[in-house]
Amino acid sequence: MDWTGDGLALGLFEADIQEDGSLVEAYQALDKALEGALSDAIADAEFKGKPDSSVAIRVGGQAAVKKLIVVGLGKSESLTLETLRRGAAAIAKASQRCKTLGIQMPAIAEDSAATAQAVVEGFELASHKDTRFKSKQEDEEETPDVLTQVTLLGLGDQASTIVKAQQIVSGVILAREMVAAPPNDMDPIAMANLAQAIADDHGLKLDILEKDACEALGMGAFLGVAKASDLPPKFIHLVYEPSQPARKKLAIVGKGLTFDSGGLNLKGPGSGIETMKMDMGGAAATLGAAKAIAQLKPDVEVHFISAATENMISGHAMRPGDILTASNGKTIEVNNTDAEGRLTLADALVYADKLGVDAIVDLATLTGACIVALGGNIAGFWSIDDDLAASLKSAADSAGEKVWQMPLEAKYFDGIKSPIADMKNTGPRAGGSITAALFLKEFVKDTPAWAHIDIAGPTWADKENGYSPSGATGYGVRTLVNWVVS
Ligand code: BES
Ligand code: MN
Ligand code: ZN
């Protein structure tokens, strides 16, 4: 290798290290050029090439690099894009004090472009730090050697793939920043302004429906939720139209509760009210996907929709017991004001359903019950169409975003039957994420394929994990991008 720079990062398989802990033949020359630093590092750390293991050392003497970073990639035959992303994330975290860094990773299935994309995603997503709300920009002041150049080694010219990966990353970062922003900053007005900025920057069409326009459309469910807020609701509709004829037309709908207090069924202690700024994670994934897709320019028409508001308390608040009428004429008895997301989505889905698209996917931080069912890292999804379910699953799998299909068990609709209205908004505790999905299904009638993804768990993380930070993860953007371009 003829790379010269501050840092060199290498991805190694388990098979690159022999029984006795020494390197295989293929790495002997490099080790020699590094004055034995590679074999020393591996021996000192008892590095075996396991996934998620890494070693970083400073290299002395006359070697061409000053820092060596080695990450494990496991078994070559089971290498995945996700292992590459996580390996690249470990490299990013170990690359302090390198202004220039070369990364050499083995290609997955001889696909250099897919490899480059995964490495760039993992590296850049792990490198992103959100300092918007710090008074002092620590990074600039305290780190003298900021990384200025990263070079992918051994993958050929991947310039266009790198740009593509960066466009996708920009969407994920936008989603993270939206979710991380406090609710006094990322409110419905700010979200509409952000949609405007995306439209302006990337040439998308934008329609913002103000409260009176929503009233005219009969969006009583959305407006019922919005009533207690001092801020105006904003119904956001962004459209990406390809320059070539569209191969298909899709709609993505995101729950956009910029804060969920629970309403008069106020969230109690231990209910996570302090993180309910994240209740617009669906809208964040939707707008993040819009930003990425507008740059990737697939031959698909995509509508990005969110009914943005807050769920607050005041003398104007909707009451438990109120009956709301949604824009498709269905009446809903509100037996719990904290099941507000499905009310806002009801009108958003009716609106999407009228667009004549081939498929609708909604994403929502909808239920704590989904977290109880699947834990914090896995989203639940429901679909009325098997092909859509399969394409979403495969989009999520290649993004490394975990999803699990759940049943639309029709019998469970009994749990949300109301004695006085067409339905109520909450059923029994058991199966709560399923009744929520069944509720939403009532608002999609003319679109052949619809899926709902409950992202209450993965939108927010207690701990950092690979290329995902603690807090806002940006979950969903990469799955949506993969789904749209597929
Ligand atoms: N936004 C919450 C769901 C949620 C909970 C998201 C935890 C992220 C983390 C939603 O509006 C809600 O309050 N759902 C209730 C529904 C219940 C009243 C039927 C819930 O899950 O408790
Ligand atoms: Mn709620
Ligand atoms: Zn909510």
Side-chain angles (χ1 to χ4, degrees):
M1 185 186 319
D2 48 11
W3 163 254
T4 320
D6 294 334
L8 171 65
L10 285 181
L12 292 186
F13 291 122
E14 290 170 25
D16 291 329
I17 293 134
Q18 304 178 20
E19 290 282 332
D20 64 357
S22 66
L23 283 158
V24 293
E25 183 67 36
Y27 285 97
Q28 300 281 345
L30 174 62
D31 188 38
K32 210 166 162 205
L34 295 171
E35 301 178 7
L38 180 55
S39 47
D40 287 351
I42 285 168
D44 286 353
E46 291 184 37
F47 178 84
K48 303 260 185 329
K50 299 275 182 221
D52 286 333
S53 70
S54 63
V55 205
I57 55 153
R58 303 221 59 93
V59 183
Q62 300 302 306
V65 297
K66 291 185 252 165
K67 186 170 193 173
L68 178 66
I69 302 163
V70 183
V71 297
L73 299 175
K75 297 197 168 32
S76 58
E77 59 278 15
S78 51
L79 181 64
T80 61
L81 294 172
E82 187 64 3
T83 307
L84 288 169
R85 285 186 205 104
R86 294 178 71 93
I91 293 169
K93 289 175 194 170
S95 64
Q96 311 92 328
R97 301 195 168 274
C98 293
K99 279 189 191 149
T100 55
L101 174 69
I103 301 180
Q104 177 168 306
M105 296 285 239
I108 182 166
E110 293 174 31
D111 187 343
S112 297
T115 306
Q117 184 178 331
V119 171
V120 173
E121 285 176 1
F123 192 93
E124 297 208 350
L125 288 172
S127 304
H128 170 249
K129 285 206 174 49
D130 187 357
T131 57
R132 291 171 300 158
F133 301 98
K134 299 273 191 193
S135 61
K136 188 170 118 195
Q137 299 296 305
E138 288 169 26
D139 272 16
E140 287 163 28
E141 286 169 29
E142 287 167 21
T143 315
D145 298 334
V146 188
L147 196 59
T148 53
Q149 197 192 3
V150 182
T151 308
L152 296 184
L153 306 170
L155 295 175
D157 178 12
Q158 295 300 340
S160 68
T161 301
I162 292 169
V163 169
K164 179 178 149 192
Q166 288 172 330
Q167 290 167 337
I168 296 169
V169 167
S170 77
V172 180
I173 302 291
L174 178 75
R176 280 188 194 169
E177 291 194 341
M178 285 177 70
V179 170
N184 60 339
D185 180 86
M186 184 43 59
D187 62 22
I189 300 171
M191 204 191 286
N193 290 341
L194 189 76
Q196 184 69 61
I198 297 171
D200 293 347
D201 290 351
H202 303 290
L204 302 193
K205 270 198 346 209
L206 175 68
D207 214 359
I208 302 280
L209 280 64
E210 304 293 343
K211 186 178 158 207
D212 51 356
C214 296
E215 267 164 5
L217 288 172
M219 295 185 174
F222 171 42
L223 294 174
V225 175
K227 260 174 33 170
S229 175
D230 285 341
L231 301 171
K234 299 278 179 182
F235 189 100
I236 299 167
H237 177 199
L238 259 175
V239 192
Y240 163 75
E241 281 172 330
S243 50
Q244 62 274 55
R247 186 161 55 83
K248 52 187 174 180
K249 295 185 184 186
L250 305 173
I252 297 169
V253 177
K255 172 175 171 180
L257 265 290
T258 62
F259 182 68
D260 179 11
S261 71
L264 290 175
N265 289 99
L266 191 62
K267 288 186 179 292
S271 63
I273 193 171
E274 67 284 352
T275 51
M276 277 305 145
K277 65 177 184 183
M278 56 85 99
D279 213 14
M280 31 59 71
T286 302
L287 295 188
K291 183 176 170 126
I293 287 161
Q295 296 171 82
L296 294 166
K297 305 197 192 313
D299 55 350
V300 179
E301 179 176 310
V302 194
H303 297 259
F304 305 92
I305 294 161
S306 184
T309 187
E310 316 176 287
N311 187 20
M312 299 296 278
I313 50 172
S314 85
H316 300 285
M318 69 174 172
R319 312 157 191 85
D322 279 359
I323 295 178
L324 306 175
T325 305
S327 42
N328 64 346
K330 297 248 182 197
T331 57
I332 306 158
E333 180 187 11
V334 178
N335 61 332
N336 190 323
T337 61
D338 199 9
E340 85 299 335
R342 62 197 75 181
L343 298 171
T344 65
L345 287 164
D347 283 323
L349 287 170
V350 170
Y351 182 94
D353 197 40
K354 289 181 189 153
L355 296 171
V357 293
D358 302 309
I360 303 173
V361 170
D362 78 72
L363 293 92
T365 50
L366 203 62
T367 67
C370 197
I371 308 179
V372 173
L374 297 174
N377 296 331
I378 307 173
F381 79 98
W382 290 257
S383 179
I384 57 170
D385 179 83
D386 291 343
D387 289 341
L388 173 58
S391 62
L392 270 182
K393 175 77 170 91
S394 109
D397 285 350
S398 46
E401 295 185 319
K402 294 188 194 304
V403 295
W404 192 255
Q405 189 169 4
M406 305 274 278
L408 277 167
E409 185 64 37
K411 187 76 185 127
Y412 288 6
F413 193 84
D414 289 352
I416 50 171
K417 279 188 178 154
S418 163
I420 180 165
D422 293 341
M423 65 192 106
K424 49 188 187 177
N425 72 333
T426 313
R429 245 169 78 86
S433 69
I434 300 175
T435 43
L438 289 169
F439 179 96
L440 297 180
K441 184 170 169 282
E442 292 300 301
F443 300 92
V444 182
K445 287 291 169 235
D446 298 328
T447 310
W450 159 74
H452 155 61
I453 314 182
D454 193 330
I455 59 171
T459 293
W460 190 262
D462 297 334
K463 282 189 288 206
E464 100 176 323
N465 180 9
Y467 52 89
S468 221
S470 65
T473 59
Y475 182 94
V477 173
R478 289 177 308 110
T479 294
L480 288 173
V481 167
N482 287 348
W483 173 62
V484 166
V485 304
S486 71

